[in-house]
Amino acid sequence: MKKSIAVVLAGMTLAFAPAAQAAPVQLSGDVSVTYERDKVDGVKTNGSIISLTVMGEMDLGAGWSLYSRLGAQKLTRAGMGDFNTDYYGEDDKSVLAIDQFGFNYQKNDFTYKIGRQDTTIGTTALLYSRPDSNVGKKNFVDGVSFTGKAGVTDLTGIFAREDNVSGERKNKVYAVRAGYNPAENLNVGVTLGRYQSDASTNHWAVDGTYTMGKSSLTGEFTKSNQDSENKAYATTLNYDFDGKTAAYVTGFRVETNGAMGGQSDFVNFDDGTRGVHYGVTHTLRDDVALELVYKKEKGIVGGERASILEATVSYSF
């Protein structure tokens, strides 16, 4: 796999080469190693995950830049990764691909991204999540996203189509959030979204974050236009001890029709999920971080149970 990564990195360099004389390519990324131990309905599994992402960005001038990302992952046990097993196969243990690419555009107070990209919808990723921790093909969305400020209002949004496995309907995702600070330590927001598929749904959400000293409390509630099982909520309490070590606890409940396409960051069971996540993060230095996460989850309807322990060390560059 090391040889394959080197070949793809060389390919990225060659892809940018025609314009390299006009502007240098800025590279950034991270390498992480995660140990994971799961227990799902009494069945225990464990394994390790090694991940690499490298983002290349080249300034084209006039506010435009070109980006491309390499994603790679290696597992010691199949099924524990962050790639799409419907595309790669349930028994695959390694992935290597150029999985994001497109253009960034900066104008006034707004930044736009056009192309294949990760996305989360909702302040807590309650409504929808195809995050940047995903790796590989058929795992992101194609479209236009934006973030910026209009007067005193923070605006973010995305209009995209899912990059799904060939043969599946390419569902679409639309969402806009408007946020406002009524006080220095309080932010409130409203999100409107639509998931377009064979069974399209409309969604709205409200969120708020209150900061007091070293602690912050974030809550989010959402509801869809389905007749039943149409609500979801998440609440996170975070405490920063000294700027290097922080702890958090998140409680959540996501009903079957509460998220956009059932793709909330908190959904692990098809009939809805509720539970609590506990986490501790520690920064060893500016480029090295540790994180320990424990997840306790339960299916809302079927009652399936899962506990997940993840310990990660990451290096950013």
Side-chain angles (χ1 to χ4, degrees):
M1 185 174 179
K2 290 181 179 179
K3 182 178 179 180
S4 299
I5 292 174
V7 170
V8 175
L9 284 172
M12 289 179 67
T13 302
L14 291 174
F16 284 113
Q21 294 181 353
V25 177
Q26 301 294 326
L27 294 178
S28 62
D30 64 76
V31 181
S32 66
V33 179
T34 299
Y35 171 77
E36 182 174 330
R37 187 178 67 193
D38 302 342
K39 183 179 180 181
V40 180
D41 284 340
V43 179
K44 298 180 179 179
T45 58
N46 65 82
S48 297
I49 306 166
I50 303 173
S51 303
L52 166 71
T53 60
V54 180
M55 178 69 78
E57 185 172 5
M58 183 176 62
D59 186 7
L60 301 178
W64 289 90
S65 65
L66 172 68
Y67 73 87
S68 180
R69 195 189 86 155
L70 165 71
Q73 196 165 81
K74 178 71 174 179
L75 315 176
T76 61
R77 180 183 291 273
M80 302 188 77
D82 300 303
F83 51 86
N84 189 338
T85 55
D86 289 338
Y87 177 76
Y88 287 101
E90 295 183 356
D91 296 327
D92 282 14
K93 294 183 180 181
S94 62
V95 168
L96 178 67
I98 301 295
D99 55 19
Q100 293 189 38
F101 45 83
F103 297 91
N104 291 315
Y105 178 61
Q106 175 76 44
K107 184 175 178 61
N108 299 326
D109 293 327
F110 278 84
T111 299
Y112 304 86
K113 178 174 280 190
I114 306 165
R116 184 156 299 169
Q117 57 191 283
D118 58 90
T119 187
T120 58
I121 300 174
T123 298
T124 63
L126 181 64
L127 283 84
Y128 186 86
S129 180
R130 289 197 175 188
D132 61 0
S133 57
N134 282 0
V135 175
K137 298 180 179 179
K138 307 302 178 183
N139 223 6
F140 296 102
V141 299
D142 297 318
V144 179
S145 64
F146 64 87
T147 181
K149 195 175 186 69
V152 297
T153 304
D154 297 316
L155 294 174
T156 59
I158 187 163
F159 305 90
R161 184 178 68 179
E162 293 180 340
D163 179 37
N164 292 331
V165 175
S166 177
E168 291 185 359
R169 180 184 176 91
K170 291 186 177 294
N171 303 324
K172 297 178 181 178
V173 181
Y174 311 101
V176 175
R177 178 188 182 271
Y180 171 66
N181 288 84
E184 184 177 354
N185 60 345
L186 177 63
N187 181 270
V188 294
V190 176
T191 300
L192 299 177
R194 176 174 174 81
Y195 187 80
Q196 187 170 316
S197 65
D198 291 329
S200 298
T201 54
N202 297 324
H203 301 257
W204 62 263
V206 292
D207 67 83
T209 298
Y210 179 72
T211 303
M212 184 174 62
K214 295 183 177 181
S215 62
S216 64
L217 178 65
T218 298
E220 188 167 28
F221 175 82
T222 183
K223 190 174 181 180
S224 74
N225 65 342
Q226 297 292 87
D227 293 332
S228 62
E229 299 296 321
N230 58 7
K231 297 181 292 297
Y233 70 80
T235 303
T236 298
L237 176 63
N238 184 84
Y239 186 81
D240 188 341
F241 291 95
D242 55 8
K244 290 187 176 182
T245 303
Y248 64 88
V249 56
T250 301
F252 63 91
R253 177 186 171 93
V254 183
E255 297 176 350
T256 307
N257 301 313
M260 301 174 71
Q263 296 183 66
S264 168
D265 200 37
F266 300 105
V267 169
N268 278 329
F269 301 111
D270 292 337
D271 56 4
T273 307
R274 60 185 175 92
V276 182
H277 293 177
Y278 307 88
V280 177
T281 61
H282 177 69
T283 301
L284 290 176
R285 62 188 198 195
D286 290 344
D287 55 359
V288 179
L290 305 175
E291 183 173 19
L292 183 65
V293 180
Y294 178 69
K295 304 176 181 179
K296 194 77 172 178
E297 302 175 347
K298 184 178 181 179
I300 293 176
V301 178
E304 306 96 326
R305 295 178 181 271
S307 59
I308 303 168
L309 178 66
E310 299 172 344
T312 302
V313 56
S314 59
Y315 169 74
S316 301
F317 56 90

